[in-house]
Amino acid sequence: MAWLRQAIASGELKPGERLVERDISARSGVSRGPVREAIKVLEQEGLVVSHLYRGAEVAGISQREVREVLVPIRVAIERFAFREVVALIDRDDLVQELERIVDEMERVARDVERSAERLADLDVAFHEAVIAASGHVQSLQIWRTILPRVRAYFVRDAPRHANPNEIPEQHRALLDALRSADSDAVDRIVIEHIGVYLED
């Protein structure tokens, strides 16, 4: 149920808010069986937590988790992936795909308040494209386990940037560094970029 995931990621459903199958079924027009399965999937993704007596509720995402768990994992995976990609002889297809993503980011960022979710999807797509291109299947698998939590803080932070163009500009800088094939510059920019998240 994509709308349920989006409602959690966007903050429409708040951390701690209970997910009652009957209510979700009535709201969505979907029977309770698929709703139950959707909640289980969201729990596996880390967006929902279940308690023995309280049932399922929306999981919060704290700055501590972002700072001490998600950012370090991203740094390890993405530094490796970007280094691998810089070493590729033929990366033209990847560069073209990243260019397309950044161009779309620039269009979307003009109305970031209304399109934070789309901007987050493009942000995720940019990083996943690089990780996939590195050819390291295990890195991609690890990335995909944290992806829902990463996307959740992307959605949360997108409208809070002082300048809506910051997000595409940061990714343009990553793309330019990748084009330069300067591995030291790429490494530095990757670390700086992943370290940008907004405090509560």
Side-chain angles (χ1 to χ4, degrees), residues 83-130:
R83 283 196 301 266
E84 292 295 295
V85 167
V86 167
L88 292 177
I89 295 172
D90 183 10
R91 53 180 182 275
D92 290 345
D93 289 346
L94 174 64
V95 168
Q96 289 175 12
E97 173 65 7
L98 298 179
E99 181 74 48
R100 184 195 65 74
I101 292 170
V102 174
D103 286 347
E104 178 68 9
M105 278 184 174
E106 289 171 346
R107 287 191 291 273
V108 171
R110 295 178 191 136
D111 192 8
V112 69
E113 287 288 344
R114 297 179 58 187
S115 52
E117 289 182 33
R118 178 59 182 151
L119 200 55
D121 288 338
L122 291 165
D123 203 332
V124 164
F126 183 99
H127 294 277
E128 182 158 318
V130 175

Side-chain angles (χ1 to χ4, degrees), residues 19-184:
L19 299 176
V20 180
E21 290 176 14
R22 180 186 63 251
D23 296 344
I24 295 171
S25 178
R27 176 177 170 183
S28 64
V30 176
S31 64
R32 290 176 66 171
V35 168
R36 188 176 305 115
E37 290 304 312
I39 289 173
K40 286 180 182 177
V41 170
L42 294 173
E43 186 174 7
Q44 292 169 355
E45 293 179 357
L47 297 177
V48 169
V49 61
S50 291
H51 301 285
L52 185 57
Y53 299 109
R54 297 203 309 268
E57 63 182 40
V58 177
I61 184 162
S62 68
Q63 286 304 105
R64 184 179 181 190
E65 179 188 357
V66 173
R67 181 179 62 250
E68 297 183 17
V69 179
L70 298 176
V71 165
I73 293 172
R74 288 189 63 204
V75 167
I77 293 171
E78 295 193 47
R79 285 182 75 189
F80 171 80
F82 273 87
R83 283 196 301 266
E84 292 295 295
V85 167
V86 167
L88 292 177
I89 295 172
D90 183 10
R91 53 180 182 275
D92 290 345
D93 289 346
L94 174 64
V95 168
Q96 289 175 12
E97 173 65 7
L98 298 179
E99 181 74 48
R100 184 195 65 74
I101 292 170
V102 174
D103 286 347
E104 178 68 9
M105 278 184 174
E106 289 171 346
R107 287 191 291 273
V108 171
R110 295 178 191 136
D111 192 8
V112 69
E113 287 288 344
R114 297 179 58 187
S115 52
E117 289 182 33
R118 178 59 182 151
L119 200 55
D121 288 338
L122 291 165
D123 203 332
V124 164
F126 183 99
H127 294 277
E128 182 158 318
V130 175
I131 296 166
S134 75
H136 196 260
V137 175
Q138 289 77 16
S139 292
L140 186 59
Q141 289 172 339
I142 295 168
W143 159 257
R144 286 180 174 164
T145 65
I146 66 167
L147 189 154
R149 302 294 284 165
V150 170
R151 184 185 181 278
Y153 87 79
F154 283 177
V155 172
R156 181 198 67 188
D157 285 358
R160 298 161 62 187
H161 283 269
N163 177 355
N165 292 315
E166 284 178 6
I167 297 171
E169 286 171 359
Q170 290 166 9
H171 290 83
R172 180 73 66 188
L174 279 169
L175 178 54
D176 289 345
L178 201 55
R179 276 202 181 98
S180 76
D182 182 338
S183 58
D184 290 337

